[in-house]
Amino acid sequence: MMNIFITGTSSGLGFGLAKYYLEQGHTVFGISRSSNEVLREYKNFEFFVQDVSHFGKIETNLSSFLKGVKMLDLVILNAGILNKIQDMKDTTLDEIKHLMDVNVWSNKIIIDALFHQIKTIQQLVAISSGASVSGSRGWNAYSLSKATLNMLISLYAGENPETHFCAIAPGLIHTSMQDYIYTIDDYEKFPVIRRLKEARGTPQMPGPEEAAKIVARGIEKALGYESGVFLDVRKI
């Protein structure tokens, strides 16, 4: 059985992945801004409330939370946010900085803290997005943050050859993020919105629990690729 660390377990893909691995009998160490009562029912679930944007507390809290843990078979850095869909010219630097803090720099702090404390980490996966390479209009700060996350993972892979790193785009998933996107109807300015709306309610956009199974298979397959690579689960 594996020891698995996952961020952002309260909802969405993080919840789906935690539930999937718990049902396989693995021990899951989860952190997120709020608790999830479904996951709390599993005896093999360890949880700590942590807002990853609170940089000053992450290292100390992780040290206490993971005290005595010698090895993590898998780390999944899943926590992330989406800003308002709008043009780059309408996006303030404060918005961009906030997304970079949550989607990128919090992960640097977590990675550094884990490698400082945990003797062996077999695999580390960052949940990225197709937006990191597509350059679709409207995704602005989100695309910037995920592209930077991809490079962050590549850089850490070069420094830690004993751990397999990868950034994975999980494909379309029906989460609260998609609920927000569904309220936008400016198809002419943001053409990707139409495709996302058309995928809603179809097998192209599964819910978090079904998507977690697909992503988990992708995480396993990722071990066959060079460490530090960016992968899309729909293409492996």
Side-chain angles (χ1 to χ4, degrees):
M1 292 295 104
M2 297 194 295
N3 282 342
I4 302 172
F5 176 85
I6 306 175
T7 66
T9 55
S10 62
S11 62
L13 179 61
F15 162 74
L17 286 167
K19 188 170 184 286
Y20 172 80
Y21 287 118
L22 288 167
E23 289 177 346
Q24 305 299 311
H26 304 301
T27 297
V28 173
F29 298 89
I31 65 170
S32 60
R33 288 181 295 178
S34 58
S35 177
N36 183 290
E37 295 308 311
V38 174
L39 299 180
R40 286 275 195 180
E41 296 297 316
Y42 290 86
K43 293 181 179 179
N44 47 332
F45 183 59
E46 303 289 338
F47 178 75
F48 189 84
V49 174
Q50 174 68 61
D51 186 331
V52 297
S53 68
H54 294 167
F55 290 175
K57 299 180 180 180
I58 292 177
E59 185 171 5
T60 300
N61 288 344
L62 283 182
S63 178
S64 175
F65 179 47
L66 298 173
K67 186 176 182 180
V69 177
K70 303 297 183 184
M71 183 179 80
L72 289 171
D73 297 273
L74 175 61
V75 171
I76 304 176
L77 302 175
N78 162 78
I81 56 173
L82 174 72
N83 67 317
K84 184 179 180 182
I85 302 298
Q86 59 190 357
D87 280 340
M88 180 59 74
K89 65 180 175 58
D90 299 319
T91 307
T92 67
L93 274 178
D94 283 342
E95 288 178 86
I96 296 172
K97 287 176 181 177
H98 180 57
L99 251 78
M100 294 295 285
D101 280 350
V102 175
N103 293 358
V104 183
W105 308 133
S106 67
N107 288 320
K108 172 179 166 39
I109 294 171
I110 291 170
I111 291 170
D112 289 344
L114 291 177
F115 275 89
H116 177 73
Q117 179 169 346
I118 307 298
K119 184 177 180 181
T120 303
I121 299 175
Q122 299 283 8
Q123 184 180 15
L124 188 146
V125 175
I127 300 300
S128 185
S129 169
S132 68
V133 295
S134 67
S136 296
R137 185 176 181 178
W139 263 249
N140 56 72
Y142 184 75
S143 292
L144 284 172
S145 70
K146 292 299 186 178
T148 307
L149 179 63
N150 293 353
M151 182 54 70
L152 184 78
I153 292 303
S154 178
L155 292 169
Y156 270 111
E159 297 173 11
N160 299 276
E162 72 284 354
T163 300
H164 188 279
F165 286 79
C166 69
I168 286 184
L172 303 181
I173 305 172
H174 189 179
T175 65
S176 58
M177 191 180 291
Q178 295 295 342
D179 290 339
Y180 158 65
I181 291 171
Y182 197 70
T183 66
I184 303 169
D185 55 12
D186 195 341
Y187 301 142
E188 185 175 345
K189 183 182 284 188
F190 309 121
V192 174
I193 296 294
R194 184 187 298 276
R195 180 175 68 85
L196 294 177
K197 286 189 177 184
E198 290 174 348
R200 185 169 170 145
T202 74
Q204 289 180 287
M205 188 182 289
E209 293 186 50
E210 187 60 34
K213 298 175 185 177
I214 299 169
V215 173
R217 288 196 292 270
I219 289 172
E220 189 173 346
K221 290 179 181 178
L223 292 170
Y225 291 78
E226 182 181 1
S227 183
V229 71
F230 165 75
L231 299 168
D232 189 317
V233 294
R234 294 165 292 191
K235 299 176 182 180
I236 60 175

